[in-house]
Amino acid sequence: MAAEPLVSIRHLAKSYRRGAQIVPVLSDITLDIAEGDFIALMGPSGSGKSTLLNLIAGIDRPDSGELRVGGVDISGLPESSLADWRAAHVGFIFQFYNLMPVLTAFENVELPLMLTRLGRAERRARVELVLGMVNLADRMDHYPSELSGGQQQRVAIARALITDPTLIVADEPTGDLDRASATEILAMLQRLNAEVGKTIIMVTHDAHAADAAKSLVHLEKGELLNGNSRR
Ligand SMILES: Nc1ncnc2c1ncn2[C@@H]1O[C@H](COP(=O)(O)OP(=O)(O)OP(=O)(O)O)[C@@H](O)[C@H]1O
Ligand SMILES: [Mg+2]
């Protein structure tokens, strides 16, 4: 029997309410994502990519449908458990890095560990390990303003990895980078996928970025065009 997919989505729907108006965003999304996949989610602006990513990551909640991640029905979790689930299972990478400007690279990466029981020495060892993985061992004490965009995104990748999450979600991780830095970030994500086995879901507008992924999903006006297409 085939293993259960890491992410299993059935007939998922989401709309936003603005005053009296209801804005339908996603309708009837059905999708499986296998453990170890690296999936690119593409589609025009406003098609619902970030909304879908945020549902999978437990940042937002669906109106209806089924959403299981790692065997857990996350749409059924109460708010406090959902926050705990997210902290343990999801690493986030954003377009504009979202680093804390008053913290060094080291401290930014350490931050998610402050919510755990790990002691200081153990935290330091882990932070040094992941900053080494993104080739920033020599920039640990720099502030975000003292780093290039590509370096800041590498800090963000290290921060996403530090809790050893089940799933990494990235919303246009190369959207603000020049081609050379983008290529470097994509190579890093590919390595995390291939060598560390991380499952990655990446929203992107960029065909070059999508080429780095193993499979591709297209959203159009809140609907998937043709399920997963495998390369
Ligand atoms: N909090 C919200 N309240 C109301 N409408 C929203 C909200 N968030 C998103 N929307 C609407 O949902 C639709 C999908 O938005 P979403 O951000 O998912 O699109 P996207 O595919 O990520 O677009 P982009 O490529 O521009 O980032 C848009 O029409 C948007 O206006
Ligand atoms: Mg978006």
Side-chain angles (χ1 to χ4, degrees), residues 49-51 171-172 203:
K49 304 181 297 295
S50 297
T51 302
D171 199 343
E172 311 217 24
V203 165

Side-chain angles (χ1 to χ4, degrees), residues 12 61-62 65-68 72-78 82:
L12 204 68
R61 287 177 182 279
E66 216 181 275
L67 173 55
R68 297 173 69 79
V72 176
D73 173 10
I74 62 166
S75 54
L77 292 178
L82 186 63

Side-chain angles (χ1 to χ4, degrees), residues 16-18 23-26 43-52 60 171-172 203 205 219:
Y16 288 107
R17 191 181 296 275
R18 301 202 62 235
V23 185
V25 181
L26 299 174
S45 183
S47 57
K49 304 181 297 295
S50 297
T51 302
L52 180 56
D60 209 347
D171 199 343
E172 311 217 24
V203 165
H205 273 122
L219 254 187

Side-chain angles (χ1 to χ4, degrees), residues 76-99:
L77 292 178
E79 201 54 54
S80 59
S81 320
L82 186 63
D84 289 344
W85 176 85
R86 212 165 43 221
H89 294 285
V90 188
F92 297 92
I93 303 169
F94 304 95
Q95 179 174 359
F96 299 108
Y97 330 127
N98 289 25
L99 301 176

Side-chain angles (χ1 to χ4, degrees), residues 103-162:
L103 300 182
T104 63
F106 182 97
E107 292 163 342
N108 266 286
V109 176
E110 187 185 30
L111 202 55
L113 294 184
M114 294 303 199
L115 302 169
T116 69
R117 285 179 197 169
L118 293 180
R120 203 160 166 228
E122 175 71 10
R123 291 198 308 266
R124 168 160 286 275
R126 285 222 204 171
V127 172
E128 288 178 356
L129 178 74
V130 293
L131 278 171
M133 284 167 71
V134 297
N135 300 326
L136 281 176
D138 57 345
R139 293 288 186 277
M140 291 201 290
D141 297 324
H142 286 232
Y143 289 91
S145 62
E146 300 167 339
L147 295 168
S148 71
Q151 288 171 336
Q152 288 182 63
Q153 196 59 303
R154 277 147 61 191
V155 174
I157 292 175
R159 180 184 55 187
L161 279 176
I162 191 72

